[in-house]
C-alpha cells in the first residue's frame, strides 16, 4: 500500500514539474496557433538556451545576465528561423508538413554541429538555489519552486502582451485570419516572426532555467520536446489555456505513475493518453475549455 | 477482381513500364538493376553487404513514399513498424524454430497487425495531426521494446537466431534483390492503376475524392496497411542481413533517416526511394569515417531540399538555366 504522504509528495513534485513543462509547451502551442508551424526545432531552441546561458555565465559571471542573455539570443534565433526558413514555404499547399520537415532538418543540423564543435560531454550548470524546505512532511526544493515561479511570471507576461497590447491584438488577429489582418494594416510576416521569436524565447528561458536539472549537451532538448509535444496535443494545438491545464495534469499523472512503474513506462502511459485524446477529440481538451 | 480486369491491370502495368523505361529515371533504374544483377561478379563481399542494405533501404523508403507521398498520410510510425517486422521475424525463428524464410513474411504480417491500432486515428486525422499521432505511437512501440527486455533482449539487442540459407551470403544477396524488386514492382503496379489515381486524388483533396464516389477510408486503410506490411518485410530482411536486432532500429532517429531519404529523393514518386537511398545512405557509407558530420549534412540537405527542391532529386532536372530563372522569379 502506498502511503498518503508519498502520493502528496508526488503531486507537489508533479505540479512544480508542470510549471516547467508549461513553459516549454506554451511556446510550441503558440507558434502553431498563430503561424501553423509544428516546430520540431523547439527542443533544439531549448538546448541553445542552455548553451548560451552556460557560456554567458562563464563570460559575465552573473546568473541573471546569463538567463536574460539566453532568452534574448534564442528570441533572435527564432525570429531568424521564421523569416529565413519558414516564410519562403508559406503559400505551399502542404505548408504544415514542409514547415515540420524544415524545422526538423534545422534541429538535426544545429544539434550535430554543436556535437562536432563542442563535444558530447554534459556541462553542469550551477544550482540556482540550494535550500530544501520541509513543509508538513513534504520536501520542496527551493530551486524547483523558483523555476516554477519564474515560469508562471514569464507565462503571465506573455498573456499580458497577448491580451493587453496592440502587438498582442495583431497576433490574435493574424491567428484568426491573416488575410483580413493584412487588410487592416497588420503585416502577417512580422507577426509570425515576432511570435516565433517569442515562442523560441520561452524555450530558451526554459533551457537555461532547467539546465541545473538536465545539464547541457547537444541532444538535451529531445526529451523535454517530446513531453511538451504530448502536452500540446492533449491540450489542443493552438490553445494556450488547454496547454496550461494539460501541462499540470500530465505532470501530476506522470509523477504519480512513477510511484509504481519505471519512468519509461510512465512515458508510454502519457503517449497512450495523447493518442486516446486525439482519437476522441482531435482539438484536445482546449476545445472544451474554450467552448 | 475477375480474370478480365486482372488482365487489363497487368496490361496497363506493362505499358507503363515500357513508357517509364524510356524516361531519364527509367534508364537509370534499368542500368542500376542490371548492375545489381552482375554486382557479385565484380564486387567484394563487403561491398555486397552494403548493396544488400541499400536495397532494403530502398524498399523501406519506397513503402514510406507509398503511404506518405501518394496518400498524403505523413506517417512517423514507419520505422517502428519496420522494427516490429524485424523483431517478429527473428524472435519466431530464434525462439520457436519457425523456418527463417517463412518468418520474413510473418514479419510483414506482424507489421500489419501492429499498424491496425493506429489506423483509426490515421484515417480520421489529416496533415500534421497524422504525423503527431503516429509519432506518439512509434514512441510507444520503441519504449515497449525496452520495457519488454526479457523478450527483445533490451538495449544490447537480440542475435540468437539462425541465418537465412545457412549463411550463404551470395544466395542471400539475390534473395534480397529479388524480394525488394518484387515488392517495389507490386507497389508500382498498384500506383499506375486506379488505386494510385485514387491515392493521389485523396492526397490533393480528400473531400473531392469522396464526392466522386470513392470509398476514401477503404483506400487509405488499404494503402496504410500495404505500406506498413512492406516496411515489416523490409525490417525482417534487414535483421537477417545485419544478424542482430536492437531497439535503435526503431528509434525516432531511424524514422528521421527514412523521412530524409524520402524527401530528398522525391516524395512524389516511388523512384524517389532509389535516389534518396543512394544520396543519403550512399553518402553515409562514403562518409562513414566522419561520424556526426554526416548528420550535419543530412540536416542541411533536408533544409535545402525543402526550400529549393520540393519534389526531391527524382523530379528535379539539372537544367541550370531554368533553375536559375526559377530562383530569380521567386
Amino acid at each position: 500500500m502506498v502511503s498518503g504522504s508519498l502520493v502528496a509528495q508526488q503531486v507537489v513534485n508533479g505540479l512544480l514539474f508542470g510549471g516547467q513543462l508549461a513553459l516549454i509547451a506554451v511556446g510550441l502551442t503558440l507558434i502553431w496557433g498563430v503561424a501553423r508551424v509544428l516546430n520540431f526545432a523547439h527542443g533544439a531552441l531549448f538546448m541553445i538556451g542552455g548553451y548560451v546561458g552556460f557560456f554567458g555565465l562563464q563570460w559575465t559571471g552573473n546568473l541573471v545576465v546569463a538567463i536574460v542573455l539566453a532568452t534574448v539570443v534564442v528570441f533572435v534565433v527564432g525570429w531568424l528561423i521564421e523569416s529565413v526558413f519558414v516564410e519562403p514555404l508559406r503559400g505551399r499547399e502542404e505548408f504544415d508538413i514542409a514547415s515540420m520537415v524544415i524545422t526538423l532538418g534545422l534541429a538535426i543540423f544545429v544539434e550535430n554541429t554543436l556535437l562536432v564543435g563542442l563535444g558530447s560531454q554534459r556541462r553542469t550548470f550551477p544550482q540556482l538555489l540550494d535550500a530544501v524546505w520541509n513543509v508538513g512532511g513534504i520536501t520542496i526544493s527551493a530551486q524547483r519552486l523558483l523555476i516554477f515561479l519564474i515560469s508562471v511570471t514569464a507565462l503571465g507576461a506573455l498573456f499580458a502582451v497577448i491580451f493587453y497590447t496592440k502587438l498582442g491584438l495583431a497576433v490574435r488577429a493574424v491567428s484568426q485570419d491573416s488575410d483580413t489582418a493584412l487588410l487592416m494594416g497588420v503585416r502577417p510576416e512580422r507577426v509570425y516572426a515576432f511570435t516565433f521569436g517569442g515562442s523560441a524565447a520561452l524555450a530558451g528561458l526554459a533551457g537555461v532555467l532547467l539546465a541545473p536539472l538536465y545539464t547541457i549537451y547537444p541532444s538535451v532538448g529531445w526529451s523535454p520536446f517530446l513531453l511538451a509535444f504530448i502536452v500540446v496535443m492533449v491540450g489542443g494545438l493552438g490553445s494556450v489555456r488547454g496547454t496550461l491545464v494539460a501541462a499540470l495534469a500530465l505532470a501530476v499523472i506522470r509523477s504519480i505513475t512513477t510511484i509504481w512503474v519505471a519512468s519509461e513506462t510512465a512515458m508510454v502511459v502519457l503517449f497512450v493518453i495523447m493518442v486516446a485524446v486525439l482519437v476522441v477529440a482531435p482539438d484536445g481538451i482546449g476545445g472544451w475549455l474554450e467552448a | 477482381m475477375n480474370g478480365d480486369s486482372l488482365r487489363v491491370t497487368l496490361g496497363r502495368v506493362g505499358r507503363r513500364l515500357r513508357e517509364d523505361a524510356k524516361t531519364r529515371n527509367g534508364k537509370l533504374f534499368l542500368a542500376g538493376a542490371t548492375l545489381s544483377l552482375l554486382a557479385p561478379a565484380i564486387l567484394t563481399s563487403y561491398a555486397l553487404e552494403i548493396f544488400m542494405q541499400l536495397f532494403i533501404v530502398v524498399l523501406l523508403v519506397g513503402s514510406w513514399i507509398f503511404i506518405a507521398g501518394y496518400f498524403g498520410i505523413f506517417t512517423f510510425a514507419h520505422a517502428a513498424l519496420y522494427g516490429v517486422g524485424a523483431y517478429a521475424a527473428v524472435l519466431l525463428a530464434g525462439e520457436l524454430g519457425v523456418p527463417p524464410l517463412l518468418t520474413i513474411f510473418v514479419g510483414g504480417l506482424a507489421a500489419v497487425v501492429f499498424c491496425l491500432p493506429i489506423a483509426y486515428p490515421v484515417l480520421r486525422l489529416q496533415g500534421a495531426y497524422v504525423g503527431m499521432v503516429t509519432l506518439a505511437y512509434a514512441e510507444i512501440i520503441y519504449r515497449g521494446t525496452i520495457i519488454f527486455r526479457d523478450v527483445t533482449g533490451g538495449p544490447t539487442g537480440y542475435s540468437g537466431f539462425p541465418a537465412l540459407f545457412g549463411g550463404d551470403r551470395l544466395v542471400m544477396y539475390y534473395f534480397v534483390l529479388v524480394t525488394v524488386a518484387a515488392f517495389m514492382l507490386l507497389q508500382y503496379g498498384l500506383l499506375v492503376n486506379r488505386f494510385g489515381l485514387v491515392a493521389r486524388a485523396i492526397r490533393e483533396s480528400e473531400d473531392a475524392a469522396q464526392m466522386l464516389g470513392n470509398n476514401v477510408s477503404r483506400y487509405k486503410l488499404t494503402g496504410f496497411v500495404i505500406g506498413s506490411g512492406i516496411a515489416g518485410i523490409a525490417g525482417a530482411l534487414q535483421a537477417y542481413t545485419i544478424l542482430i536486432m536492437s531497439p535503435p532500429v526503431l528509434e525516432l532517429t531511424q524514422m528521421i533517416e527514412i523521412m530524409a531519404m524520402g524527401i530528398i529523393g522525391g516524395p512524389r514518386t516511388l523512384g524517389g526511394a532509389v535516389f534518396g537511398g543512394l544520396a543519403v545512405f550512399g553518402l553515409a557509407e562514403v562518409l562513414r569515417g566522419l561520424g556526426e558530420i554526416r548528420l550535419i549534412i543530412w540536416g542541411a540537405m533536408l533544409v535545402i531540399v525543402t526550400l529549393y527542391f520540393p519534389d526531391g532529386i527524382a523530379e528535379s532536372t539539372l537544367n541550370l538555366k531554368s533553375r536559375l530563372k526559377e530562383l530569380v522569379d521567386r
Side-chain angles (χ1 to χ4, degrees):
Chain A
M1 193 53 213
V2 179
S3 71
S5 71
L6 179 58
V7 173
Q9 173 75 56
Q10 287 302 81
V11 169
V12 170
N13 287 352
L15 285 175
L16 291 181
F17 179 65
Q20 308 168 4
L21 206 50
L23 190 59
I24 309 169
V26 165
L28 202 56
T29 207
L30 185 68
I31 192 61
W32 171 273
V34 177
R36 297 278 137 180
V37 177
L38 181 65
N39 181 15
F40 266 72
H42 207 66
L45 293 167
F46 175 93
M47 176 268 292
I48 295 174
Y51 274 103
V52 173
F54 179 82
F55 290 114
L57 185 64
Q58 266 190 350
W59 291 325
T60 63
N62 186 324
L63 203 58
V64 178
V65 174
I67 292 177
V68 173
L69 194 67
T71 314
V72 172
V73 169
V74 180
F75 178 89
V76 174
V77 173
W79 184 292
L80 289 176
I81 291 181
E82 162 63 36
S83 43
V84 176
F85 296 105
V86 180
E87 186 58 36
L89 304 179
R90 250 187 210 99
R92 276 206 202 156
E93 237 169 81
E94 292 188 323
F95 170 73
D96 54 346
I97 296 205
S99 58
M100 191 160 91
V101 171
I102 207 161
T103 49
L104 181 63
L106 284 171
I108 299 170
F109 178 78
V110 172
E111 178 187 328
N112 290 287
T113 306
L114 284 178
L115 190 61
V116 171
L118 298 171
S120 63
Q121 76 269 32
R122 291 165 176 250
R123 286 158 213 264
T124 50
F125 198 82
Q127 303 291 316
L128 305 175
L129 292 170
D130 286 326
V132 174
W133 296 313
N134 194 322
V135 185
I138 294 170
T139 44
I140 296 173
S141 123
Q143 171 169 271
R144 282 171 194 260
L145 191 62
L146 177 69
I147 296 175
F148 182 82
L149 291 177
I150 298 180
S151 304
V152 171
T153 316
L155 292 177
L158 177 81
F159 269 97
V161 169
I162 289 183
F163 287 105
Y164 300 109
T165 66
K166 216 170 166 188
L167 182 65
L169 185 66
V171 170
R172 279 179 290 148
V174 169
S175 80
Q176 282 182 7
D177 187 339
S178 60
D179 291 335
T180 312
L182 182 65
L183 289 177
M184 300 298 135
V186 178
R187 272 181 283 188
E189 68 275 9
R190 287 229 182 142
V191 171
Y192 292 143
F194 167 79
T195 315
F196 211 117
S199 145
L202 291 178
L205 175 65
V208 64
L209 282 181
L210 298 184
L213 308 174
Y214 278 76
T215 72
I216 303 159
Y217 52 97
S219 57
V220 65
W222 284 107
S223 145
F225 169 72
L226 278 179
L227 273 171
F229 180 85
I230 302 177
V231 165
V232 168
M233 290 307 119
V234 172
L237 262 176
S239 157
V240 174
R241 231 170 298 178
T243 302
L244 287 178
V245 175
L248 291 178
L250 289 173
V252 171
I253 291 176
R254 179 174 180 266
S255 44
I256 290 180
T257 8
T258 48
I259 297 177
W260 293 281
V261 298
S263 67
E264 202 70 52
T265 319
M267 269 310 266
V268 172
V269 172
L270 295 190
F271 276 117
V272 170
I273 293 177
M274 172 190 149
V275 174
V277 168
L278 274 183
V279 171
V280 179
D283 289 328
I285 56 176
W288 306 329
L289 286 176
E290 273 161 40
Chain B
M1 194 182 272
N2 57 35
D4 272 347
S5 65
L6 186 68
R7 210 169 310 126
V8 170
T9 305
L10 288 179
R12 189 175 297 125
V13 175
R15 238 181 2 262
R16 283 296 300 271
L17 265 179
R18 277 194 295 280
E19 273 171 36
D20 280 348
K22 289 183 193 122
T23 62
R24 177 198 73 168
N25 289 354
K27 283 176 193 155
L28 286 176
F29 293 158
L30 269 181
T34 320
L35 270 179
S36 311
L37 277 173
L38 300 175
I42 319 162
L43 295 172
T44 62
S45 58
Y46 175 73
L48 278 189
E49 299 289 317
I50 305 291
F51 263 67
M52 270 194 265
Q53 285 186 35
L54 178 63
F55 299 153
I56 296 167
V57 159
V58 167
L59 182 62
L60 177 62
V61 176
S63 60
W64 182 73
I65 290 177
F66 185 81
I67 303 177
Y70 282 86
F71 284 88
I73 303 175
F74 205 81
T75 170
F76 271 81
H78 218 61
L81 296 170
Y82 165 75
V84 164
Y87 266 121
V90 300
L91 287 172
L92 277 178
E95 303 293 322
L96 300 177
V98 178
L101 201 55
L102 190 64
T103 62
I104 288 184
F105 301 96
V106 180
L109 278 181
V112 167
V113 170
F114 268 78
C115 86
L116 291 178
I118 202 68
Y120 177 67
V122 163
L123 296 188
R124 252 192 79 176
L125 301 170
Q126 285 183 333
Y129 281 86
V130 172
M132 296 159 198
V133 77
T134 47
L135 175 64
Y137 186 62
E139 283 292 311
I140 294 173
I141 295 182
Y142 167 62
R143 280 159 211 274
T145 59
I146 297 174
I147 293 167
F148 296 107
R149 60 188 55 165
D150 303 339
V151 186
T152 60
T156 46
Y158 178 81
S159 57
F161 53 95
L164 261 181
F165 309 115
D168 186 335
R169 300 306 277 179
L170 189 64
V171 180
M172 178 78 190
Y173 176 85
Y174 280 108
F175 175 71
V176 170
L177 181 59
V178 168
T179 315
V180 167
F183 280 101
M184 286 304 276
L185 270 177
L186 172 75
Q187 294 181 85
Y188 178 85
L190 284 170
L191 291 175
V192 295
N193 276 291
R194 182 186 164 79
F195 185 82
L197 285 178
V198 178
R200 269 169 284 181
I202 292 173
R203 179 186 76 204
E204 296 304 330
S205 169
E206 211 170 309
D207 293 337
Q210 181 89 48
M211 286 272 289
L212 290 172
N214 299 300
N215 188 338
V216 166
S217 307
R218 206 171 66 195
Y219 273 98
K220 276 173 93 174
L221 182 67
T222 316
F224 186 59
V225 163
I226 292 179
S228 301
I230 292 177
I233 289 173
L237 284 176
Q238 171 73 355
Y240 282 111
T241 307
I242 59 175
L243 298 170
I244 183 163
M245 185 57 210
S246 57
V249 169
L250 34 81
E251 216 183 346
L252 188 56
T253 355
Q254 176 79 30
M255 187 59 233
I256 293 172
E257 206 177 312
I258 299 174
M259 240 172 64
M261 290 192 256
I263 287 167
I264 291 169
R268 289 276 184 260
T269 161
L270 207 53
V274 180
F275 286 100
L278 273 175
V280 178
F281 185 81
L283 199 68
E285 280 308 315
V286 174
L287 303 178
R288 186 164 274 280
L290 292 177
E292 283 83 20
I293 291 191
R294 51 191 192 142
L295 282 166
I296 301 182
I297 298 175
W298 287 0
M301 273 169 92
L302 262 186
V303 172
I304 293 168
V305 166
T306 311
L307 273 178
Y308 300 112
F309 305 92
D311 294 327
I313 305 173
E315 295 190 344
S316 300
T317 54
L318 290 172
N319 187 340
L320 273 178
K321 208 171 144 196
S322 65
R323 290 291 324 169
L324 278 176
K325 194 168 172 300
E326 262 174 54
L327 284 181
V328 173
D329 289 346
R330 272 154 61 89

